[in-house]
Amino acid sequence: MMVIDITNLKNIAIEFGCKFVENASMKDYTTFKTGGNCPLLISPNSVSALSEILKECNNSNIPYTTLGNGSNVLVSDDGIDGIVIHIADDLNKITLLDETTIFCEAGVKLGTLCNFASENSLTGLEFAFGIPGSVGGAVFMNAGAYGGEMKDVVTKVYHVDKAGNEGLISGDNLAFGYRTSAYEHNGYIITGIELSLTKGNQAEIKEKMAELLGKRKDKQPLEYPSAGSTFKRPEGYFAGALIEECGLKGNQLGGARVSEKHAGFIINYDNATSTDILNLIDFVKETVENEKGVLLTPEVRILR
Ligand SMILES: Cc1cc2nc3c(=O)[nH]c(=O)nc-3n(C[C@H](O)[C@H](O)[C@H](O)COP(=O)(O)OP(=O)(O)OC[C@H]3O[C@@H](n4cnc5c(N)ncnc54)[C@H](O)[C@@H]3O)c2cc1C
């Protein structure tokens, strides 16, 4: 582990009134509930605070990892080298800019944004109801479900770059693809987005949201910690079906298990470590490649 001097960062956090935790356990910040510690986790409460934090990281060569709701990450048991910038509850504004356009800060939970859209009778975001991420994480990943993706509704994304400068990316420059966006490559931190939705019927919107949530509860092992689908959908196949056909449902290494309810999910069944989960990911990949000739790629992002 590299040794970093966090004194200036703590002072910035105190000056701006941002929450911070020293030697934070990543188990408390990830839905897998695994992983080691990081020397400092800061939750910026404004874009200007974030900008100062990034300037200090840039000037003092301190590596940073961005974390949203931690619902698509697996943190190494050795922890994270560098600080974690946690974009969560403290960046939480949502406003209606006009009849069909919403501005939303990156720390807002997707579910909260979906409810805001439905309260304003706006349709187009129902697909996202039940995805347990932050708005920033959902844009970074171009999260999607049931035929919809963030790219269908997001028009502008506001960020702070590595040097602490504010900026925005819009339209095609967002480079959305299957579970990817421009932010996967530029390392900037998303602070807010604009979404363009359509006026709809509130009862129908609510009904759709409830229907999709019901499907999740029926099909997904929500009673166990996980990071959702472990693997990306390989072209022409479904990862879960391939894994099931290889007889891997219920397969367990250490405390990590291939869910019996949905083979596409690896779950933290019994006090798993991140190493258990990584070993099971490798085992599943190897088995599916040997038996089916299909290479699975993790959707879950490994942080170290
Ligand atoms: C039960 C369950 C069901 C799920 N269902 C779905 C589903 O249906 N569809 C789907 O697409 N996903 C699904 N997921 C995965 C996950 O919820 C989504 O990928 C979600 O969008 C991740 O958001 P997050 O805030 O948790 O991101 P995190 O897990 O915190 O981070 C994910 C990546 O985004 C980066 N990141 C996060 N916030 C920012 C930011 N503000 N600026 C820049 N980079 C950032 C991180 O560095 C990391 O690389 C599911 C997960 C679970 C646990």
Side-chain angles (χ1 to χ4, degrees):
M1 277 265 144
M2 67 187 296
V3 178
I4 55 171
D5 184 357
I6 56 173
T7 317
N8 290 345
L9 285 166
K10 282 198 306 186
N11 287 338
I12 294 169
I14 291 164
E15 185 192 331
F16 281 87
C18 302
K19 287 185 220 142
F20 65 92
V21 181
E22 285 181 70
N23 202 21
S25 166
M26 299 312 293
K27 287 183 185 167
D28 299 336
Y29 295 92
T30 58
T31 56
F32 253 137
K33 306 260 171 263
T34 61
N37 290 12
C38 77
L40 180 70
L41 178 141
I42 304 191
S43 309
N45 57 6
S46 67
V47 175
S48 31
L50 173 62
S51 179
E52 286 310 307
I53 292 164
L54 286 170
K55 278 180 193 157
E56 166 58 16
C57 289
N58 195 37
N59 293 340
S60 303
N61 274 322
I62 297 174
Y64 67 86
T65 297
T66 311
L67 191 71
N69 200 41
S71 65
N72 206 40
V73 294
L74 180 63
V75 176
S76 151
D77 291 321
D78 294 332
I80 291 186
D81 239 0
I83 69 152
V84 168
I85 301 182
H86 187 214
I87 304 295
D89 302 343
D90 297 316
L91 277 179
N92 61 7
K93 287 186 206 78
I94 314 185
T95 44
L96 211 49
L97 296 181
D98 63 37
E99 274 224 312
T100 53
T101 313
I102 298 176
F103 170 79
C104 178
E105 283 192 322
V108 170
K109 297 248 171 40
L110 266 185
T112 307
L113 176 61
C114 292
N115 283 327
F116 182 87
S118 114
E119 275 152 29
N120 287 284
S121 303
L122 291 171
T123 179
L125 196 63
E126 295 88 331
F127 74 87
F129 195 57
I131 300 179
S134 67
V135 162
V139 170
F140 178 100
M141 295 297 306
N142 184 25
Y146 305 112
E149 286 177 298
M150 293 308 285
K151 78 171 171 53
D152 304 333
V153 289
V154 174
T155 52
K156 269 185 205 162
V157 179
Y158 297 87
H159 61 244
V160 179
D161 71 16
K162 288 177 179 169
N165 303 307
E166 291 178 40
L168 76 93
I169 303 182
S170 60
D172 288 347
N173 292 331
L174 288 165
F176 283 125
Y178 176 58
R179 300 296 172 267
T180 186
S181 68
Y183 288 92
E184 184 174 356
H185 308 291
N186 62 24
Y188 301 169
I189 299 191
I190 298 164
T191 55
I193 65 168
E194 269 181 45
L195 301 135
S196 178
L197 299 172
T198 310
K199 271 282 172 200
N201 175 297
Q202 192 174 66
E204 284 170 17
I205 295 167
K206 287 196 166 157
E207 198 180 318
K208 186 82 197 166
M209 282 163 54
E211 180 202 323
L212 296 183
L213 197 62
K215 278 193 185 172
R216 280 179 186 276
K217 286 185 180 153
D218 284 350
K219 300 224 162 86
Q220 300 182 356
L222 301 181
E223 60 281 25
Y224 289 103
S226 80
S229 300
T230 314
F231 299 98
K232 290 185 180 170
R233 184 170 13 89
E235 225 176 299
Y237 300 92
F238 288 102
L242 291 170
I243 297 167
E244 188 172 348
E245 285 164 22
C246 289
L248 291 173
K249 264 190 171 179
N251 204 289
Q252 191 166 337
L253 283 183
R257 180 184 276 211
V258 176
S259 162
E260 275 116 335
K261 195 168 177 186
H262 188 319
F265 281 53
I266 287 180
I267 54 174
N268 178 351
Y269 182 69
D270 182 15
N271 287 313
T273 61
S274 292
T275 308
D276 294 339
I277 295 167
L278 280 170
N279 288 341
L280 190 54
I281 288 177
D282 286 345
F283 179 69
V284 168
K285 262 179 77 173
E286 211 179 287
T287 310
V288 170
E289 193 173 9
N290 288 342
E291 291 194 16
K292 298 282 177 183
V294 180
L295 184 66
L296 294 179
T297 321
E299 177 176 319
V300 171
R301 300 182 60 84
I302 320 285
L303 303 181
R304 30 178 68 100

